Amino acid sequence: MLQILINSLINGLAIGVTALAFTLVYRPTGVFYLALGGIYALVPHFALWSISRGVPWGVACVASMALGVIVSCSCEVFSHSRLNHKGSPVINHLIASLGIYTILVQLIVLIWGSNTKVFRSEQDRLFEFLGLILTRSQLIAGLTLAVVLAALGTWIKASKLGLLLRGLAFNPTEMQLIGHPVPLLRLLAFGISGGLVSLVSLLIANDVGFDPFGGMSAILLAVVAVIIGGRDSFIGPVLGGIALSVVRSTASWYSPKWQEAVTFLLLGFFLLFVPKGLFNRSTRMEADS
Amino acid sequence: MSYLFHLAIFFCMYSILALSLNLILRFCGYLSLAHSAYFAIGAYAYALLTLTYGWSFIPVVLAAAALAAVLSLFLSLPAWRLKGDFFVMISLAVQSLTFTTIFNWASPTDPPGSWKNLTNGSYGLPGIPKPDILSVKFDTKDVILLIASLLLLVFFSIYYVLIKSPWGRSLIALRDDDLAARNLGKSPRLFKIQVFRNRMQYGGSRRGALRLVCWVY
């Protein structure tokens, strides 16, 4: 059972960081950023292609993360900011984002094929302590994601840019009125989001492999984590991701084929009965109206 | 020529589906991803009723549409509380749950269509009998195209009448300004339920019609 909990914790951190990447864009811009799924799939494919061309793996990882950031910023520049200028409703952003996701996935399939790929050709190294067995990829993923979460949390809470992003999430119109560069802040949110999801994608790809269609399910899990944890909290999506991962692992312990059903039952339950999530900050009644 | 028939048949079928989706997207402002779930429910209802109970074509199509309409009410209930992206998410949850249930309701030791192996999982339900209405067999593409075109005409006429009626104008008013329409005595809940029910009847009937296409191939 402890082994399941540790595995769930590591998977939950990955879901949590992806959920943060999603909320970083969703809260300030209102964009339901499904194109992140395409970036999630694109980054490891590009990294593997670079490595196969003789690029050192460290450089390949950094280059592929940079590609993720560029693609994410391009989504804002060429799609969402233009829709925003036209005053399009949020549903148009969602459809546009879904379209970008589809284009990215089809491009990946055209260029690199649709088969599942792996970074490692040999078996992963195992570490055993306190009766628990962890692979090297799991350890790297867990530690990296924990450090990134701590750094991101500190940056958002303590830095001026973090403050501006939080302000943008609460009232973008007022931010614009008092002279803050809202378009640049939006671009920054898209860039950070792309970078975060690229990192998670590389770490998970190193652990379990990757394919062109895995991005959407990763993003949907992240969205479920956001809804469970609460949209207005930093730690909520992370804890929501861990809780979701524990529930999914427990469900798969009993019957793996009902894992997805459990996830979407949870989504339905939270949307209908706890729409603000578990870790949302309480606000005064008039603040919600 | 055969391929052109094939394209024309699918044009008619997808046009009906687009009309049904447009009813809710255009007039209520809701994007629903659960459409495919009701599409599947219509198909499985048709297949199971013909395979297991030997029902004929017209009662099966009506039953499939009715079942899809009733089940769609389960989606319309949360529609009262959720809007925008979160409505899309709940519709995605309905779609995923339906897919998982259909995919997993299988047991290799039991015959397809039995209670334990209702959907036969990923293998589907083979051997669905070809339909006939008043002893006329629908087994060639030209007859199927005729039926599909007639169905499209019927559904388009219904759609046109609906949107031009006071009911359709009330829907547009509710979409544009919920509060103002409510002040005029229009009930958003009632109208949403009616739209969902009509939409799913379209989807379910269309699915029954699509089955006709499958028999030809």
Side-chain angles (χ1 to χ4, degrees), chain A residues 26 30-32 90-91 94-95 98 220 223-224 227 231 257-258 260-262 264-265 267-268 271-273 275, chain B residues 25 29-31 33 77-78 81-82 84-94 96-97 100-102 104-106:
Chain A
Y26 181 72
V31 173
F32 206 86
V90 286
I91 210 78
L94 190 151
I95 294 168
L98 189 62
L220 290 179
V223 174
V224 177
I227 289 164
R231 280 163 280 166
K257 63 183 187 178
W258 293 105
E260 294 304 317
V262 168
F264 285 100
L265 269 178
L267 172 67
L271 277 175
L272 293 176
F273 302 110
Chain B
L25 185 60
Y30 286 106
L31 175 66
L33 301 179
L77 298 177
R81 302 172 58 171
L82 301 169
D85 302 331
F86 289 91
F87 177 80
V88 178
M89 287 311 295
I90 195 87
S91 70
L92 177 71
V94 171
S96 298
L97 284 170
T100 314
T101 308
I102 288 173
N104 291 331
W105 201 332

Side-chain angles (χ1 to χ4, degrees), chain A residues 31-36 75 79-80 83 92-102:
Chain A
V31 173
F32 206 86
Y33 196 21
L34 293 175
L36 268 182
C75 290
S79 172
H80 298 298
L83 286 172
N92 290 13
H93 286 276
L94 190 151
I95 294 168
S97 196
L98 189 62
I100 295 169
Y101 164 80
T102 310

Side-chain angles (χ1 to χ4, degrees), chain A residues 11 27 149 193:
Chain A
N11 287 337
R27 289 207 57 223
L149 267 177
S193 176

Side-chain angles (χ1 to χ4, degrees), chain B residues 30-184:
Chain B
Y30 286 106
L31 175 66
S32 168
L33 301 179
H35 222 58
S36 54
Y38 299 107
F39 190 81
I41 286 167
Y44 275 95
Y46 189 100
L48 288 168
L49 289 173
T50 49
L51 273 174
T52 316
Y53 299 102
W55 285 28
S56 59
F57 180 70
I58 291 175
V60 168
V61 170
L62 294 176
L67 183 69
V70 169
L71 288 175
S72 77
L73 287 178
F74 287 106
L75 183 60
S76 75
L77 298 177
W80 301 338
R81 302 172 58 171
L82 301 169
K83 278 187 176 177
D85 302 331
F86 289 91
F87 177 80
V88 178
M89 287 311 295
I90 195 87
S91 70
L92 177 71
V94 171
Q95 192 271 332
S96 298
L97 284 170
T98 310
F99 172 79
T100 314
T101 308
I102 288 173
F103 197 76
N104 291 331
W105 201 332
S107 161
T109 53
D110 294 288
S114 61
W115 179 249
K116 283 191 175 174
N117 190 14
L118 194 69
T119 62
N120 206 21
S122 57
Y123 298 104
L125 296 166
I128 300 165
K130 290 182 178 178
D132 61 273
I133 303 172
L134 303 173
S135 305
V136 179
K137 281 271 181 195
F138 294 102
D139 50 4
T140 56
K141 283 185 185 173
D142 48 353
V143 179
I144 301 295
L145 179 58
L146 182 69
I147 296 291
S149 311
L150 282 174
L151 278 172
L152 175 59
L153 192 67
V154 167
F155 282 118
F156 184 77
S157 307
I158 295 171
Y159 179 84
Y160 190 79
V161 169
L162 280 179
I163 60 167
K164 292 291 175 192
S165 67
W167 182 81
R169 286 198 296 275
S170 303
L171 275 181
I172 294 169
L174 281 167
R175 181 200 63 190
D176 290 343
D177 196 333
D178 200 316
L179 199 60
R182 238 186 290 178
N183 279 338
L184 293 170

Side-chain angles (χ1 to χ4, degrees), chain A residues 33 35 38-39 42 66-76 100 104:
Chain A
Y33 196 21
I39 298 169
L42 175 69
L67 177 70
V69 173
I70 291 166
V71 173
S72 186
C73 290
S74 306
C75 290
E76 160 68 356
I100 295 169
L104 284 175

Side-chain angles (χ1 to χ4, degrees), chain A residues 11-23 32 217-248 262-264 266-268 270-271 274-280, chain B residues 86 89:
Chain A
N11 287 337
L13 281 175
I15 297 173
V17 174
T18 313
L20 277 181
F22 177 83
T23 39
F32 206 86
S217 58
I219 300 307
L220 290 179
L221 282 181
V223 174
V224 177
V226 170
I227 289 164
I228 292 174
R231 280 163 280 166
D232 296 336
S233 147
F234 175 82
I235 201 69
V238 180
L239 294 177
I242 293 169
L244 179 64
S245 183
V246 170
V247 171
R248 279 171 63 85
V262 168
T263 304
F264 285 100
L266 265 181
L267 172 67
F270 273 89
L271 277 175
V274 200
K276 294 206 164 200
L278 290 175
F279 303 99
N280 212 23
Chain B
F86 289 91
M89 287 311 295

